[in-house]
Amino acid sequence: MYCPKPTNPNFSSNTWVGAGTPYKITSTSTKTSETVSVTYGSGAFLGTEYTDQVTIAPGLVIPHQSIGVASDSVGFSGTDGILGIGPALLTQGSLYPDYTAVVPTITDNAYALGLIGANEVGISFQPTTSLEVLNGELSWGGTDSSKYTGSITYASLTSTIPASFYWGINQSIRYGTSTSILTSTVGIVDTGTTLLYIATDAYNRYCDATGAVLDGVTGLLRITSAQYSKLQSLFFIINGTPFEFTANAQLWPRSLNTAIGGSSSNIYLVVADMGSNTGSGLDFINGYAFLERFYTVFDTANKRVGFANTPYTAATSN
């Protein structure tokens, strides 16, 4: 359910397999002359590039898709690999000896082959209270209107480095009705990050506003029951539209406290410290905790990211 936070801005769009189940060479497999290496925040893999037929669903079969086949991997217990949907530019530097090569993603190739009508992916998640659950959906080539409510707000991709390497946008964050947490700045939307990261100065303002303290065991912020009863919503202002991240949305799922070494009776928060102040060019990461509450669209063709409320935006499951 929860994925590692990537720390290398060049390596998060590769599709690869073999961390658990060995790759089987078939008649559609072609080994290239490239090795492939990808490093994440809490894992890595090294292997060989192949092209092969990748089947996503009936009618969505991509021939000759580049995939990495792991010969060695760490940090992916229970997971066989990654399906990369980030911008293709993030793959640059992952191959050797062709270090400058950009590897087209599954979405890019599906669109180029006419298998999908638009070069975009719609992303739907739901808040969950169990370690393993299948409640997400990826819609290649368009959006699924049954997964969101209202209209989709789009934000143009930023040109500010390093956020521009990712799905980078501008946003500001407000706590409650008037407390500014993060002024309008650049950051990224990332399916491979668990938490909601904000710049250190913004993080400190959030701690001041909520009374949260850092928990030495889990590394997450912790609040008391009394503080939770007064916890206000965060509002993410994206292209002029406020998206309300409720008090419940800010909680780590309490049923999963012990899974991260915490106490079952504590209240932990999903807001975390980026480790650098505003102005770095990457001042926030809207990770999985955010994506659980808002439908998201990665629109490559129009260079934008879309957001909409869902039936689970105001869920109280945490």
Side-chain angles (χ1 to χ4, degrees):
M1 182 186 71
Y2 290 102
C3 300
K5 170 189 171 186
T7 57
N8 191 321
N10 294 318
F11 305 144
S12 67
S13 292
N14 297 73
T15 292
W16 63 277
V17 297
T21 304
Y23 173 72
K24 293 183 179 179
I25 296 175
T26 68
S27 61
T28 60
S29 307
T30 301
K31 183 179 180 180
T32 77
S33 60
E34 304 290 328
T35 60
V36 56
S37 176
V38 179
T39 300
Y40 304 90
S42 57
F45 92 91
L46 173 68
T48 302
E49 184 194 35
Y50 279 75
T51 62
D52 206 341
Q53 178 173 290
V54 175
T55 300
I56 301 296
L60 187 53
V61 180
I62 299 94
H64 312 301
Q65 172 65 42
S66 169
I67 61 171
V69 175
S71 56
D72 190 20
S73 65
V74 293
F76 289 92
S77 177
T79 301
D80 199 48
I82 286 180
L83 192 156
I85 59 173
L89 187 60
L90 290 177
T91 65
Q92 191 172 47
S94 63
L95 300 181
Y96 182 82
D98 194 359
Y99 192 75
T100 62
V102 174
V103 181
T105 66
I106 284 175
T107 313
D108 293 334
N109 284 333
Y111 179 67
L113 291 167
L115 300 175
I116 56 177
N119 193 351
E120 65 182 32
V121 180
I123 302 166
S124 170
F125 291 119
Q126 300 173 22
T128 184
T129 56
S130 59
L131 280 174
E132 295 186 14
V133 62
L134 296 177
N135 64 7
E137 177 188 275
L138 298 178
S139 300
W140 269 274
T143 59
D144 183 347
S145 60
S146 71
K147 298 296 183 180
Y148 63 89
T149 60
S151 58
I152 299 174
T153 294
Y154 286 95
S156 298
L157 295 181
T158 183
S159 59
T160 301
I161 295 173
S164 59
F165 294 129
Y166 297 86
W167 294 106
I169 61 168
N170 280 74
Q171 73 177 16
S172 61
I173 303 175
R174 184 182 78 237
Y175 179 77
T177 58
S178 59
T179 302
S180 175
I181 298 297
L182 186 69
T183 57
S184 184
T185 187
V186 295
I188 67 172
V189 184
D190 186 44
T191 59
T193 296
T194 303
L195 303 176
L196 170 63
Y197 287 84
I198 56 177
T200 299
D201 50 328
Y203 173 83
N204 290 337
R205 286 189 285 271
Y206 179 74
C207 291
D208 290 341
T210 61
V213 297
L214 186 65
D215 181 77
V217 176
T218 64
L220 300 182
L221 289 176
R222 186 183 73 245
I223 56 174
T224 65
S225 295
Q227 289 168 330
Y228 175 53
S229 68
K230 299 177 181 179
L231 190 65
Q232 300 180 53
S233 294
L234 287 170
F235 292 87
F236 293 73
I237 315 302
I238 301 173
N239 197 17
T241 300
F243 290 90
E244 184 175 5
F245 197 64
T246 64
N248 188 267
Q250 294 168 56
L251 303 190
W252 176 266
R254 281 169 281 188
S255 63
L256 299 179
N257 282 359
T258 56
I260 57 171
S263 168
S264 60
S265 61
N266 282 347
I267 301 174
Y268 304 108
L269 301 176
V270 297
V271 177
D273 185 2
M274 282 287 296
S276 58
N277 285 326
T278 304
S280 71
L282 206 168
D283 296 333
F284 63 84
I285 303 177
N286 292 357
Y288 180 74
F290 179 89
L291 298 175
E292 285 182 316
R293 303 289 175 149
F294 304 104
Y295 191 80
T296 305
V297 184
F298 288 167
D299 186 345
T300 300
N302 295 299
K303 299 180 180 180
R304 61 185 185 173
V305 181
F307 304 94
N309 288 320
T310 80
Y312 302 97
T313 295
T316 57
S317 54
N318 289 345

